[in-house]
Amino acid sequence: PVSSILPLLEPMAKALPAMWLRASDVKSLPVTSGHDDNWDLSGTDGRENLFRTAVVLLLTAIVRKLGPHAVCNPSMRELLLRVIEYGTDVSGSNTGGIFMLEEACELWDNVICAADVYSADLSNLYPRVHEILGHDFDNLKVMFRILEGYALLGGRQFMQQYGESVSQLLNNALRNLKDRGCLATCEVIDLILQLFPRDGPILFANVLQRSLHLAASGRESRNLSSAYVYLVLRAVLSNIECVETE
């Protein structure tokens, strides 16, 4: 039962960073909880990445099992966010984004699903979505789940912070992906239009206009044309006044 695992969270949260660093023979072991500027998760590439990937999988299993209990524990929460930050770094500053990007994104998705509060530390991670999808679309499915999770968790605060960049990201996806990717993008836009019936049509005005044009052109597949028309109808029915103004 969950109650039997909860007492182990704190010891695990303190032990795992030390094990993570030992994998690359780093001498300073950050075993204390709380934020520490010297808590470095970087290291050399090599076989330690196999161990670190296993740690990510373990953390994912813990979050899936314990849900909010894992995310609310301060020490475990810090560990989760630091590991996600390391594993989703595609800038080349460490090997995380090479060896464990997929696993780190799955962990991130589970953390967002388990979180019950949209906090600054989660908000600060969000730009990684754009960095990863700006690099390639290999992890499109999980990244879109994370984006939807942020919209559901953060609500208006999230959209006020990142709405414009979300619109640009999804517009870019529609321009560069093939049918299946575009259909997935339409699903994300549809969710945002449902969540934000007043602001959504304004935010995605250019996307909706282009969608209608593409649907009318006859160049798209039947499924994609139907998805485009559905988005426009969703926007119209959600907020006729805003659509007419735009």
Side-chain angles (χ1 to χ4, degrees):
V2 171
S3 58
S4 65
I5 303 176
L6 290 179
L8 303 177
L9 277 181
E10 192 71 23
M12 282 192 294
K14 292 181 177 180
L16 285 174
M19 296 170 63
W20 179 288
L21 294 180
R22 267 195 207 103
S24 55
D25 295 323
V26 176
K27 300 304 181 183
S28 58
L29 303 180
V31 296
T32 58
S33 61
H35 293 282
D36 183 350
D37 292 338
N38 295 320
W39 201 57
D40 181 17
L41 289 181
S42 62
T44 59
D45 56 354
R47 59 186 179 182
E48 71 269 12
N49 287 295
L50 295 175
F51 174 79
R52 290 179 174 180
T53 300
V55 171
V56 176
L57 294 174
L58 172 62
L59 291 173
T60 302
I62 291 172
V63 175
R64 285 175 177 167
K65 180 68 175 179
L66 300 182
H69 296 292
V71 179
C72 290
N73 179 280
S75 299
M76 181 59 71
R77 182 187 185 89
E78 181 185 359
L79 174 61
L80 292 169
L81 296 180
R82 293 290 185 101
V83 168
I84 292 170
E85 184 178 10
Y86 176 87
T88 59
D89 184 359
V90 293
S91 69
S93 61
N94 63 56
T95 59
I98 299 174
F99 289 93
M100 62 185 73
L101 178 60
E102 182 178 351
E103 292 82 3
C105 288
E106 287 291 340
L107 174 60
W108 190 4
D109 179 36
N110 280 273
V111 168
I112 291 295
C113 289
D116 53 8
V117 176
Y118 180 64
S119 56
D121 50 11
L122 288 175
S123 174
N124 292 337
L125 269 179
Y126 173 75
R128 283 288 170 88
V129 172
H130 294 254
E131 294 173 15
I132 292 168
L133 292 180
H135 188 261
D136 58 50
F137 292 109
D138 291 349
N139 294 282
L140 183 71
K141 186 175 181 179
V142 66
M143 298 315 299
F144 275 179
R145 290 204 309 267
I146 292 170
L147 174 51
E148 290 176 339
Y150 269 94
L152 289 164
L153 179 65
R156 292 185 63 85
Q157 183 181 351
F158 168 72
M159 293 306 293
Q160 286 171 355
Q161 289 176 293
Y162 298 111
E164 290 294 333
S165 59
V166 168
S167 176
Q168 293 172 9
L169 173 70
L170 297 178
N171 191 24
N172 181 60
L174 287 175
R175 291 177 181 274
N176 290 283
L177 293 171
K178 295 183 179 180
D179 276 21
R180 289 182 63 183
C182 287
L183 288 170
T185 305
C186 288
E187 291 179 1
V188 179
I189 296 173
D190 180 51
L191 174 65
I192 293 175
L193 291 174
Q194 292 181 64
L195 293 173
F196 312 101
R198 170 164 290 275
D199 298 331
I202 298 174
L203 189 64
F204 290 103
N206 292 334
V207 174
L208 295 169
Q209 185 178 26
R210 182 170 178 270
S211 296
L212 189 59
H213 172 75
L214 290 173
S217 70
R219 297 194 301 267
E220 305 294 337
S221 68
R222 179 177 298 179
N223 286 342
L224 190 53
S225 294
S226 298
Y228 286 151
V229 171
Y230 182 85
L231 284 182
V232 174
L233 290 176
R234 167 77 72 185
V236 170
L237 294 175
S238 297
N239 198 331
I240 294 176
E241 180 182 349
C242 287
V243 173
E244 289 177 343
T245 302
E246 289 297 308

